[in-house]
Amino acid sequence: MVQRVDTIMNGTSRVNGTNGHHRDSPSSRSSRKASSPMAPAFMTSAPGKVIVFGEHAVVHGKAAMAAAVSLRSYLLVTTLSKSQRTITLVFPDIGLDHTWNIEDLPWHILSKSSRKPRYYDMITTLDPELVEAMQPHIEEVSPNLNSEKRKRHQAAASAFLYLFLCLSNPTAPACIYTLRSTLPIGAGLGSSASICVCISAALLKQIHVLSGPHQDQPEEEVDIQLERINKWAFVGELCIHGNPSGVDNTVATRGRAVLFRRVDYSKPPSATPLKDFPELPLLLVNTKQPRSTSTEVAKVATMRKKYPAVTEATLDSIDEVTMSAHSLITSDGFDPRSEQNIEHLGDLFRINHGLLVSLGVSHPKLEHIRELVDYADIGWTKLTGAGGGGCAITLLKRGVSEQAIRDLKDKFEKAGFEEYTTTLGGSGVGILYPAVLHNGSEEEGGDEIDQLKFLNAQGEEGIEKLVGVGGLERRPEWKFWH
Ligand SMILES: Nc1ncnc2c1ncn2[C@@H]1O[C@H](COP(=O)(O)OP(=O)(O)O)[C@@H](O)[C@H]1O
Ligand SMILES: C[C@@](O)(CCOP(=O)(O)O)CC(=O)O
């Protein structure tokens, strides 16, 4: 590990924010040799997701239905002065702060032309030699933490470093990558995918291979940019999870809601956008029981090995549930206000959850949420995401009284659970370039979002207010590929 020198934390003099843009006088422009200006600070952002139907089965080629949530991750990229040759990750949500010397990184592995992937390649597996060459640089990340925290740090650092090595080069500008998220980490809401999308979009932007987003961008061009971001986010997910289906990064990239299926991992998945995804009366509750997606996914793989026929039949049943829900919500007469339609979806929630229980990926705390809802008799509950802890979603029956919901929420609170207010089906990946908002002030250049302000923003509301996008905010300076 190298000592971090002169970063934005201990002085802004060498940091190139937008307000630090060189403004040369005409005479200095003509007398000085032209040099490429430093890039302004910029931000990327991507949402988390809820899987409404089909988690785990989707890893084995079955369908899943998922929608973006308004909780999001945000990455601020700050370029340092040219005299510096370091990249720094500042990920305060997990307490990670690490610096690498760019020149020390294992570029030699990628110097063979057949090895270095191109930014437009489709990568479906990690290069074992590159993973091995990265190991010493990953092992130096937070070596003194307990194993659980170290794993978290090293997983996030691996995803970043793998993408950086593939997409960047030894002459890359020194940078600080500061990441914050309003998503709970490791709770089934796709936090890892959302950070991978932020990282992928930022690195692709830095090597100038993303066009737009801009108004009137043709649909096919929009699609190419989104696929480019999504493909590399999937590679980041491979580093964190080992065996991701790709549904999380697809929703985090594209936003809205999708019906997703990946049968052949060497080919792109099919992701059908669900236009007009209904506004469902949902409660989203976190057990706060930590767990890891890769452990839960491995449990199902073990079940499949031990009991192939039974497990395959269970996964097929989940597929049937997802497709039945898809037929229902895309049918002409579907109305989320109809008692009958909601009851039909509720039955599918219950069946899907039961099948996940039988795969061994529930947790007593998830069952406690389900019990509380069942006792109150006001809805249907299923786990969402990998399970083993994390979050559950409850679909509320029509006509449930406010009081009954309040009583239930009290019980959740007493049990130590946390409820989130979020809307489904929001925007996917977005970019704020440069990281400046025009807050109605007349000052030249607007208000720059610098690292200090970003690190000091308090909670979900503080972050959204500062960066100008999320559940409560939608500033026009943010651009999305739609
Ligand atoms: N805000 C964040 N900051 C840094 N790393 C993060 C953040 N969110 C997620 N991660 C990375 O993703 C991992 C969680 O991934 P995972 O177990 O799949 O949970 P989830 O269901 O939330 O995606 C963390 O251990 C960490 O490495
Ligand atoms: C269990 C799974 O279907 C979803 C995992 O979601 P999350 O990482 O718990 O947010 C795995 C996957 O699709 O890659």
Short mmCIF file of all heavy atoms in Angstrom, two decimals, residues 49 73 91 93-94 151-157 179-181 183-193 195 237 240-241 248 291-294 386, ligand 1:
data_model
loop_
_atom_site.label_atom_id
_atom_site.label_comp_id
_atom_site.label_asym_id
_atom_site.label_seq_id
_atom_site.Cartn_x
_atom_site.Cartn_y
_atom_site.Cartn_z
N LYS A 49 -32.32 -2.76 -6.70
CA LYS A 49 -33.51 -3.42 -7.29
C LYS A 49 -34.22 -4.29 -6.27
O LYS A 49 -33.64 -4.64 -5.24
CB LYS A 49 -33.10 -4.30 -8.49
CG LYS A 49 -32.05 -5.38 -8.13
CD LYS A 49 -32.62 -6.68 -7.68
CE LYS A 49 -32.06 -7.35 -6.56
NZ LYS A 49 -31.20 -8.02 -5.96
N SER A 73 -26.73 4.06 -5.59
CA SER A 73 -25.32 4.32 -5.28
C SER A 73 -24.84 5.48 -6.13
O SER A 73 -25.35 5.72 -7.23
CB SER A 73 -24.47 3.09 -5.59
OG SER A 73 -24.88 2.02 -4.79
N PHE A 91 -14.41 4.41 0.02
CA PHE A 91 -15.75 3.81 0.09
C PHE A 91 -16.19 3.83 1.56
O PHE A 91 -16.09 2.82 2.28
CB PHE A 91 -15.73 2.35 -0.42
CG PHE A 91 -15.46 2.17 -1.91
CD1 PHE A 91 -15.18 3.24 -2.76
CD2 PHE A 91 -15.50 0.90 -2.49
CE1 PHE A 91 -14.95 3.06 -4.12
CE2 PHE A 91 -15.28 0.69 -3.84
CZ PHE A 91 -14.99 1.78 -4.66
N ASP A 93 -18.94 3.81 3.20
CA ASP A 93 -20.04 2.96 3.70
C ASP A 93 -19.49 1.68 4.33
O ASP A 93 -20.11 1.11 5.23
CB ASP A 93 -21.00 2.54 2.57
CG ASP A 93 -21.66 3.73 1.92
OD1 ASP A 93 -21.71 4.80 2.55
OD2 ASP A 93 -22.12 3.59 0.76
N ILE A 94 -18.35 1.20 3.80
CA ILE A 94 -17.77 -0.02 4.38
C ILE A 94 -16.43 0.30 5.07
O ILE A 94 -15.73 -0.61 5.52
CB ILE A 94 -17.59 -1.14 3.32
CG1 ILE A 94 -16.71 -0.69 2.14
CG2 ILE A 94 -18.93 -1.63 2.83
CD1 ILE A 94 -16.29 -1.86 1.23
N LYS A 151 -13.26 -9.31 3.83
CA LYS A 151 -13.88 -9.88 2.63
C LYS A 151 -14.67 -8.83 1.88
O LYS A 151 -14.63 -8.74 0.66
CB LYS A 151 -14.84 -11.01 3.03
CG LYS A 151 -14.26 -12.39 2.88
CD LYS A 151 -15.40 -13.38 2.90
CE LYS A 151 -14.95 -14.80 3.06
NZ LYS A 151 -15.98 -15.63 3.67
N ARG A 152 -15.44 -8.04 2.64
CA ARG A 152 -16.24 -6.96 2.04
C ARG A 152 -15.38 -5.98 1.29
O ARG A 152 -15.66 -5.60 0.16
CB ARG A 152 -16.92 -6.16 3.15
CG ARG A 152 -18.30 -6.56 3.42
CD ARG A 152 -18.92 -5.57 4.36
NE ARG A 152 -20.33 -5.82 4.37
CZ ARG A 152 -21.23 -5.07 4.93
NH1 ARG A 152 -20.86 -3.97 5.55
NH2 ARG A 152 -22.50 -5.37 4.88
N HIS A 153 -14.30 -5.55 1.99
CA HIS A 153 -13.39 -4.57 1.38
C HIS A 153 -12.75 -5.15 0.13
O HIS A 153 -12.68 -4.50 -0.91
CB HIS A 153 -12.28 -4.21 2.38
CG HIS A 153 -12.73 -3.28 3.46
ND1 HIS A 153 -11.88 -2.45 4.12
CD2 HIS A 153 -13.95 -3.05 3.98
CE1 HIS A 153 -12.54 -1.74 5.03
NE2 HIS A 153 -13.81 -2.11 4.95
N GLN A 154 -12.28 -6.40 0.28
CA GLN A 154 -11.53 -6.97 -0.84
C GLN A 154 -12.43 -7.30 -2.02
O GLN A 154 -12.01 -7.20 -3.17
CB GLN A 154 -10.73 -8.19 -0.35
CG GLN A 154 -9.69 -7.74 0.70
CD GLN A 154 -8.67 -8.81 1.09
OE1 GLN A 154 -8.86 -9.99 0.80
NE2 GLN A 154 -7.61 -8.39 1.78
N ALA A 155 -13.71 -7.64 -1.72
CA ALA A 155 -14.64 -7.91 -2.83
C ALA A 155 -14.86 -6.63 -3.63
O ALA A 155 -14.78 -6.63 -4.87
CB ALA A 155 -15.96 -8.43 -2.28
N ALA A 156 -15.11 -5.52 -2.93
CA ALA A 156 -15.36 -4.26 -3.64
C ALA A 156 -14.09 -3.80 -4.37
O ALA A 156 -14.16 -3.36 -5.53
CB ALA A 156 -15.80 -3.19 -2.64
N ALA A 157 -12.94 -3.96 -3.71
CA ALA A 157 -11.67 -3.55 -4.34
C ALA A 157 -11.38 -4.41 -5.57
O ALA A 157 -10.90 -3.90 -6.59
CB ALA A 157 -10.53 -3.65 -3.33
N LEU A 179 -17.23 6.65 -3.21
CA LEU A 179 -18.52 5.97 -3.43
C LEU A 179 -19.39 6.04 -2.20
O LEU A 179 -18.91 5.76 -1.09
CB LEU A 179 -18.24 4.50 -3.76
CG LEU A 179 -19.46 3.64 -4.00
CD1 LEU A 179 -19.79 3.60 -5.47
CD2 LEU A 179 -19.22 2.22 -3.52
N ARG A 180 -20.64 6.41 -2.39
CA ARG A 180 -21.61 6.32 -1.29
C ARG A 180 -22.91 5.74 -1.82
O ARG A 180 -23.23 5.90 -3.00
CB ARG A 180 -21.88 7.70 -0.67
CG ARG A 180 -20.66 8.24 0.03
CD ARG A 180 -21.00 9.40 0.92
NE ARG A 180 -21.83 9.00 2.06
CZ ARG A 180 -22.35 9.86 2.92
NH1 ARG A 180 -22.14 11.16 2.79
NH2 ARG A 180 -23.09 9.44 3.93
N SER A 181 -23.65 5.09 -0.92
CA SER A 181 -24.88 4.46 -1.37
C SER A 181 -25.97 4.67 -0.34
O SER A 181 -25.68 4.74 0.87
CB SER A 181 -24.62 2.96 -1.56
OG SER A 181 -25.74 2.33 -2.11
N LEU A 183 -28.35 2.48 -0.37
CA LEU A 183 -28.84 1.10 -0.29
C LEU A 183 -28.23 0.38 0.91
O LEU A 183 -27.03 0.58 1.18
CB LEU A 183 -28.41 0.32 -1.53
CG LEU A 183 -29.18 0.60 -2.81
CD1 LEU A 183 -28.33 0.25 -4.02
CD2 LEU A 183 -30.48 -0.21 -2.82
N PRO A 184 -29.01 -0.46 1.60
CA PRO A 184 -28.36 -1.30 2.61
C PRO A 184 -27.44 -2.29 1.91
O PRO A 184 -27.77 -2.78 0.83
CB PRO A 184 -29.54 -2.00 3.28
CG PRO A 184 -30.63 -2.02 2.28
CD PRO A 184 -30.44 -0.78 1.43
N ILE A 185 -26.31 -2.57 2.51
CA ILE A 185 -25.31 -3.44 1.85
C ILE A 185 -25.56 -4.89 2.25
O ILE A 185 -25.73 -5.21 3.43
CB ILE A 185 -23.89 -3.00 2.26
CG1 ILE A 185 -23.66 -1.56 1.78
CG2 ILE A 185 -22.83 -3.94 1.68
CD1 ILE A 185 -22.39 -0.94 2.31
N GLY A 186 -25.59 -5.75 1.25
CA GLY A 186 -25.76 -7.18 1.52
C GLY A 186 -27.13 -7.50 2.09
O GLY A 186 -27.25 -8.34 2.97
N ALA A 187 -28.16 -6.83 1.60
CA ALA A 187 -29.50 -7.05 2.14
C ALA A 187 -30.48 -7.48 1.05
O ALA A 187 -31.68 -7.45 1.25
CB ALA A 187 -30.00 -5.78 2.83
N GLY A 188 -29.97 -7.86 -0.11
CA GLY A 188 -30.85 -8.37 -1.16
C GLY A 188 -31.37 -7.32 -2.11
O GLY A 188 -32.17 -7.61 -3.00
N LEU A 189 -30.90 -6.07 -1.95
CA LEU A 189 -31.40 -5.00 -2.84
C LEU A 189 -30.39 -4.64 -3.94
O LEU A 189 -30.46 -3.57 -4.54
CB LEU A 189 -31.78 -3.75 -2.04
CG LEU A 189 -32.86 -3.97 -0.96
CD1 LEU A 189 -33.26 -2.65 -0.33
CD2 LEU A 189 -34.10 -4.66 -1.54
N GLY A 190 -29.44 -5.54 -4.16
CA GLY A 190 -28.54 -5.36 -5.30
C GLY A 190 -27.51 -4.26 -5.13
O GLY A 190 -27.15 -3.59 -6.10
N SER A 191 -27.00 -4.09 -3.89
CA SER A 191 -26.00 -3.02 -3.69
C SER A 191 -24.76 -3.29 -4.51
O SER A 191 -24.17 -2.36 -5.07
CB SER A 191 -25.64 -2.89 -2.20
OG SER A 191 -24.91 -4.01 -1.75
N SER A 192 -24.35 -4.55 -4.60
CA SER A 192 -23.10 -4.83 -5.34
C SER A 192 -23.27 -4.49 -6.81
O SER A 192 -22.39 -3.89 -7.43
CB SER A 192 -22.66 -6.28 -5.15
OG SER A 192 -23.62 -7.16 -5.66
N ALA A 193 -24.41 -4.85 -7.39
CA ALA A 193 -24.62 -4.55 -8.81
C ALA A 193 -24.66 -3.05 -9.02
O ALA A 193 -24.12 -2.52 -10.00
CB ALA A 193 -25.93 -5.18 -9.29
N ILE A 195 -23.14 -0.69 -7.34
CA ILE A 195 -21.81 -0.07 -7.34
C ILE A 195 -21.03 -0.48 -8.58
O ILE A 195 -20.27 0.31 -9.13
CB ILE A 195 -21.00 -0.31 -6.03
CG1 ILE A 195 -20.52 -1.76 -5.90
CG2 ILE A 195 -21.76 0.09 -4.78
CD1 ILE A 195 -19.33 -1.89 -4.94
N GLU A 237 -19.58 -7.88 -11.03
CA GLU A 237 -20.39 -8.81 -10.24
C GLU A 237 -19.73 -10.19 -10.16
O GLU A 237 -19.80 -10.87 -9.14
CB GLU A 237 -21.79 -8.93 -10.86
CG GLU A 237 -22.72 -7.78 -10.53
CD GLU A 237 -23.38 -8.00 -9.18
OE1 GLU A 237 -22.75 -7.70 -8.15
OE2 GLU A 237 -24.53 -8.47 -9.16
N ILE A 240 -17.38 -10.07 -7.37
CA ILE A 240 -17.96 -10.03 -6.02
C ILE A 240 -18.68 -11.33 -5.68
O ILE A 240 -18.58 -11.84 -4.57
CB ILE A 240 -18.90 -8.81 -5.87
CG1 ILE A 240 -18.07 -7.51 -5.99
CG2 ILE A 240 -19.63 -8.83 -4.52
CD1 ILE A 240 -18.87 -6.22 -5.91
N HIS A 241 -19.41 -11.88 -6.64
CA HIS A 241 -20.29 -13.03 -6.37
C HIS A 241 -19.77 -14.38 -6.82
O HIS A 241 -20.25 -15.39 -6.36
CB HIS A 241 -21.58 -12.93 -7.19
CG HIS A 241 -22.57 -12.01 -6.66
ND1 HIS A 241 -23.77 -11.83 -7.27
CD2 HIS A 241 -22.56 -11.21 -5.61
CE1 HIS A 241 -24.45 -10.94 -6.59
NE2 HIS A 241 -23.73 -10.55 -5.58
N ASP A 248 -29.36 -8.43 -11.60
CA ASP A 248 -29.19 -7.22 -10.78
C ASP A 248 -28.52 -6.10 -11.58
O ASP A 248 -28.99 -4.95 -11.57
CB ASP A 248 -28.33 -7.51 -9.54
CG ASP A 248 -29.04 -8.37 -8.53
OD1 ASP A 248 -30.11 -8.90 -8.85
OD2 ASP A 248 -28.52 -8.52 -7.41
N ARG A 291 -25.80 -11.36 5.49
CA ARG A 291 -25.58 -12.61 4.75
C ARG A 291 -24.85 -12.26 3.47
O ARG A 291 -24.74 -11.09 3.11
CB ARG A 291 -26.90 -13.33 4.48
CG ARG A 291 -27.61 -12.99 3.23
CD ARG A 291 -28.10 -11.56 3.17
NE ARG A 291 -28.70 -11.26 1.89
CZ ARG A 291 -28.03 -10.92 0.79
NH1 ARG A 291 -26.74 -10.79 0.80
NH2 ARG A 291 -28.65 -10.68 -0.34
N SER A 292 -24.34 -13.29 2.80
CA SER A 292 -23.66 -12.96 1.55
C SER A 292 -24.35 -13.68 0.39
O SER A 292 -24.77 -14.83 0.51
CB SER A 292 -22.18 -13.33 1.64
OG SER A 292 -21.86 -14.33 0.72
N THR A 293 -24.49 -12.95 -0.71
CA THR A 293 -25.17 -13.53 -1.87
C THR A 293 -24.46 -14.81 -2.32
O THR A 293 -25.11 -15.82 -2.60
CB THR A 293 -25.19 -12.51 -3.02
OG1 THR A 293 -25.88 -11.35 -2.56
CG2 THR A 293 -25.88 -13.05 -4.25
N SER A 294 -23.12 -14.76 -2.36
CA SER A 294 -22.41 -15.93 -2.90
C SER A 294 -22.66 -17.17 -2.03
O SER A 294 -22.82 -18.26 -2.56
CB SER A 294 -20.92 -15.64 -3.08
OG SER A 294 -20.38 -15.17 -1.89
N ALA A 386 -31.09 -12.67 -2.35
CA ALA A 386 -30.51 -13.98 -2.08
C ALA A 386 -31.07 -14.66 -0.83
O ALA A 386 -30.90 -15.86 -0.66
CB ALA A 386 -29.00 -13.84 -1.96
N1 LIG B 1 -21.87 1.13 -0.67
C1 LIG B 1 -20.91 0.22 -0.86
N2 LIG B 1 -19.62 0.55 -0.68
C2 LIG B 1 -18.65 -0.36 -0.88
N3 LIG B 1 -18.86 -1.65 -1.25
C3 LIG B 1 -20.12 -2.03 -1.44
C4 LIG B 1 -21.21 -1.11 -1.27
N4 LIG B 1 -22.35 -1.77 -1.55
C5 LIG B 1 -21.99 -3.04 -1.88
N5 LIG B 1 -20.67 -3.21 -1.81
C6 LIG B 1 -19.92 -4.46 -2.10
O1 LIG B 1 -20.86 -5.46 -2.44
C7 LIG B 1 -20.88 -6.51 -1.44
C8 LIG B 1 -22.34 -6.90 -1.14
O2 LIG B 1 -22.79 -7.69 -2.16
P1 LIG B 1 -23.97 -8.77 -1.95
O3 LIG B 1 -23.62 -9.74 -0.89
O4 LIG B 1 -24.28 -9.28 -3.29
O5 LIG B 1 -25.16 -7.90 -1.41
P2 LIG B 1 -26.35 -7.18 -2.18
O6 LIG B 1 -27.49 -8.12 -2.06
O7 LIG B 1 -26.59 -5.92 -1.44
O8 LIG B 1 -25.90 -6.97 -3.58
C9 LIG B 1 -20.20 -5.90 -0.23
O9 LIG B 1 -19.57 -6.89 0.55
C10 LIG B 1 -19.18 -4.95 -0.86
O10 LIG B 1 -18.04 -5.64 -1.27
#
